[in-house]
Amino acid sequence: MIKAIKGTKDILPDSIGKWKHVENLISLIFKNYNYKEIRTPVFEETSLFARGIGEATDIVGKEMYTFEDRSKTSITLKPEMTASVVRAFIEHSLGKKQSLNKLYYISPMFRQERPQAGRLREFHQFGAEALGSSSPLLDVEMISMAYGILSGLGLKDLTIKINSLGTPESRKKYTQELRKYLNDKEHLLSGESKERISKNILRIFDSKIENDIEVMKGAPLLLDYLDNESKDDFEKVKSSLTSSKISFEIDTSLVRGLDYYTKTTFEIISGKVGAQSALCGGGRYDLLVEQLGGEPTPGTGFAAGIERILIACENENSFEVTEPSINLYIVCLEKTLMAKTYELAQSIRRNNISVEMDYIGRSIKAQMREANKFNAKFALFFGGEEYQSHKSQLKNMETGEQEIISLENIINKINV
RNA sequence: GUGGGCGUAGCUCAGUUGGUUAGAGCACCAGGUUGUGGUUCUGGGGGUCGUGGGUUCGAAACCCACCGCUCACCCCA
């Protein structure tokens, strides 16, 4: 039996209702904030991600779905969306058509990691990017939208964490200090953390090993080394969040694993999804556009994982979707009349009324059971006599009431 | 890439210290007299017990290998 590729999942009709519910809320919220939808190809030239996300990141280093196409071009299935959006932004000169571009997306992403709860190889993200302003208000807007969607789905067990990474200059100054601090403490660190000293020193803060945590408790904090502008912006983010009545935690160890972040970064965590608790992550990336060959343009954005959100919703029982129903089920009383039944169904469907019938030749009892299963509002009994007289029994499935009506009159009766 | 757990019907699972034709619930199909659902009753179909090898008179149960799923580490949505 051929099965879906490891780490990929079919979304079956049973769960489509939940997906639609989430997607509808996403587009509603983004519409309220005047974000426009953008769609980009599922694959891009590999170098876009290598340059955009950063060669040293895990995503680029070991998680990308990369292959050569027939013309030997290196292609990569998008592991995240920001690089693609920025590429499109540059390619179509969106910054020249409009000074501030507010964009959103819902799209599948691909990363070749070992699957686990809340982590798939093909997964779906929605997110937004605002290109053309360095205002911290937009950082707050990102958090507000993300939080608005998550809480709008009924999620309660949420924690918003924020941090500031500052400018590259201030970060450089800081990492030098951090290195100094760790100089004589290296032997206390775990092997992995030792490696990070040279590779990506900020990530030592992410370590969950007790000794590492102990050592890092006394470490200098990035927030103390921020340049004035970053510091100022971070203050504005905090006060604006507070006045928006969004509670948050400052997490100085919050280090986003993507190289392009500057200044404000944030994450929204759920306690209800297992180990992969980040539902959403984002931040400012003021240098990315330039880095990818565009005019210097500040940007900020976030991405959220739909599968993780659905797991959290499931575990919190945060919303219910109503079963879809159909307007009418036509019970075919004589198998020889199936074609006539179909014609009747068609004529009713043309009026935007949803109609189902039996195509298998089932018993009347079975057909009624079907009507019930599909939540049909009405059932119509159609046989030879009815075909001749153009009159049928129409049954209201909720009340059980039944009346004889002329077939020409069905549409009015059902619409009531 | 590393480690743990698990593979019996479409789904959720039973299956006693290895012992006859492998079970239940749900789902599915048919029926409970003349053309009518949800509750209920009766009956039915469906499994090379993940795959391959081994131990044994005898394996779904025990051993080994492989495959798959799952959870966790790393990192991230």
Side-chain angles (χ1 to χ4, degrees):
Chain A
M1 180 171 58
I2 298 175
K3 298 202 287 185
I5 299 289
K6 182 201 275 286
T8 68
K9 284 236 183 325
D10 298 310
I11 301 164
L12 299 175
D14 303 39
S15 47
I16 286 293
K18 291 174 189 165
W19 280 80
K20 294 259 180 181
H21 179 77
V22 172
E23 288 161 1
N24 289 342
L25 184 62
I26 290 167
S27 33
L28 179 71
I29 299 276
F30 282 138
K31 188 171 176 249
N32 289 346
Y33 286 82
N34 192 33
Y35 281 69
K36 307 291 185 192
E37 186 174 359
I38 183 168
R39 303 186 189 190
T40 68
V42 277
F43 49 55
E44 297 272 359
E45 224 172 89
T46 301
S47 57
L48 171 66
F49 301 117
R51 282 172 56 198
I53 301 169
E55 302 273 6
T57 60
D58 276 17
I59 293 179
V60 174
K62 56 182 196 190
E63 295 169 6
M64 293 203 301
Y65 270 101
T66 298
F67 54 90
E68 278 192 352
D69 68 6
R70 286 173 200 275
S71 62
K72 303 282 183 231
T73 307
S74 182
I75 299 288
T76 294
L77 268 32
K78 59 186 173 193
E80 61 110 49
M81 194 67 175
T82 304
S84 297
V85 171
V86 168
R87 195 223 79 232
F89 171 85
I90 297 168
E91 186 171 336
H92 303 284
S93 305
L94 298 183
K96 301 217 165 100
K97 294 175 185 155
Q98 204 171 307
S99 48
L100 175 62
N101 279 271
K102 304 213 288 185
L103 305 165
Y104 84 91
Y105 57 83
I106 305 177
S107 168
M109 305 293 164
F110 307 85
R111 291 182 203 172
Q112 190 165 175
E113 300 179 83
R114 272 286 256 280
Q116 74 186 72
R119 171 191 285 156
L120 292 168
R121 289 184 170 186
E122 182 192 32
F123 59 103
H124 297 78
Q125 286 188 336
F126 66 87
E129 315 290 351
L131 294 152
S133 164
S134 53
S135 166
L137 286 177
L138 282 170
D139 299 333
V140 174
E141 186 159 296
M142 292 297 159
I143 298 172
S144 301
M145 291 189 296
Y147 183 70
I149 291 166
L150 297 178
S151 56
L153 291 170
L155 291 175
K156 298 257 183 327
D157 190 357
L158 300 173
T159 307
I160 299 175
K161 294 182 171 184
I162 63 169
N163 191 22
S164 177
L165 299 179
T167 58
E169 296 81 51
S170 59
R171 213 183 318 173
K172 200 174 167 193
K173 209 164 82 193
Y174 167 71
T175 50
Q176 279 167 3
E177 286 304 314
L178 190 56
R179 232 170 236 126
K180 262 187 221 161
Y181 168 80
L182 288 173
N183 229 341
D184 56 336
K185 296 179 185 63
E186 198 180 325
H187 62 283
L188 297 169
L189 292 174
S190 65
E192 277 174 36
S193 289
K194 273 182 202 161
E195 271 179 43
R196 286 176 178 157
I197 290 178
S198 54
K199 225 175 117 192
N200 192 338
I201 194 161
L202 290 177
R203 278 203 220 154
I204 300 177
F205 283 108
D206 282 343
S207 175
K208 279 149 200 157
I209 297 158
E210 206 159 312
N211 272 344
D212 292 355
I213 294 170
E214 203 54 43
V215 170
M216 297 313 279
K217 267 184 186 164
L221 293 177
L222 176 54
L223 286 180
D224 298 328
Y225 287 80
L226 292 183
D227 55 290
N228 287 333
E229 195 186 76
S230 296
K231 224 179 253 179
D232 211 48
D233 284 358
F234 195 52
E235 287 307 315
K236 283 178 185 155
V237 167
K238 287 191 284 185
S239 68
S240 179
L241 281 173
T242 305
S243 63
S244 305
K245 300 209 163 42
I246 295 176
S247 49
F248 59 90
E249 287 175 12
I250 295 168
D251 183 351
T252 51
S253 71
L254 197 160
V255 176
R256 317 248 58 257
L258 300 135
D259 282 357
Y260 51 64
Y261 284 114
T262 54
K263 292 185 175 174
T264 309
T265 62
F266 67 94
E267 216 167 68
I268 302 178
I269 310 271
S270 164
K272 294 286 193 295
V273 278
Q276 305 307 320
S277 57
L279 299 186
C280 162
R284 180 158 281 285
Y285 46 89
D286 286 343
L287 303 164
L288 181 61
V289 178
E290 196 176 346
Q291 208 172 297
L292 287 174
E295 294 288 312
T297 309
T300 184
F302 80 93
I306 298 181
E307 283 85 353
R308 281 184 192 176
I309 290 169
L310 285 172
I311 291 172
C313 290
E314 199 79 25
N315 291 338
E316 288 202 43
N317 234 318
S318 72
F319 69 84
E320 279 186 27
V321 287
T322 47
E323 295 257 324
S325 62
I326 58 168
N327 299 121
L328 175 69
Y329 190 100
I330 305 178
V331 176
C332 177
L333 301 171
E334 293 155 46
K335 279 177 197 169
T336 51
L337 284 171
M338 261 168 75
K340 293 287 173 214
T341 308
Y342 183 73
E343 277 173 32
L344 178 60
Q346 285 297 82
S347 67
I348 301 169
R349 284 169 179 151
R350 278 193 273 271
N351 296 281
N352 274 331
I353 292 169
S354 54
V355 182
E356 184 56 295
M357 59 172 277
D358 170 59
Y359 297 87
I360 301 177
R362 273 178 282 211
S363 65
I364 289 154
K365 190 190 203 105
Q367 291 186 58
M368 284 304 284
R369 283 179 175 156
E370 280 266 289
N372 198 57
K373 193 171 82 185
F374 293 140
N375 243 315
K377 294 192 180 70
F378 293 92
L380 183 82
F381 297 92
F382 184 74
E385 210 177 288
E386 288 76 4
Y387 175 59
Q388 296 297 334
S389 65
H390 279 250
K391 284 192 173 119
S392 257
Q393 294 275 354
L394 183 72
K395 179 170 189 167
N396 182 317
M397 293 294 281
E398 267 170 56
T399 63
E401 282 164 20
Q402 207 162 302
E403 61 176 321
I404 295 171
I405 57 151
S406 80
L407 292 182
E408 286 74 21
N409 220 358
I410 292 177
I411 293 148
N412 300 326
K413 284 287 175 190
I414 291 173
N415 270 334
V416 171

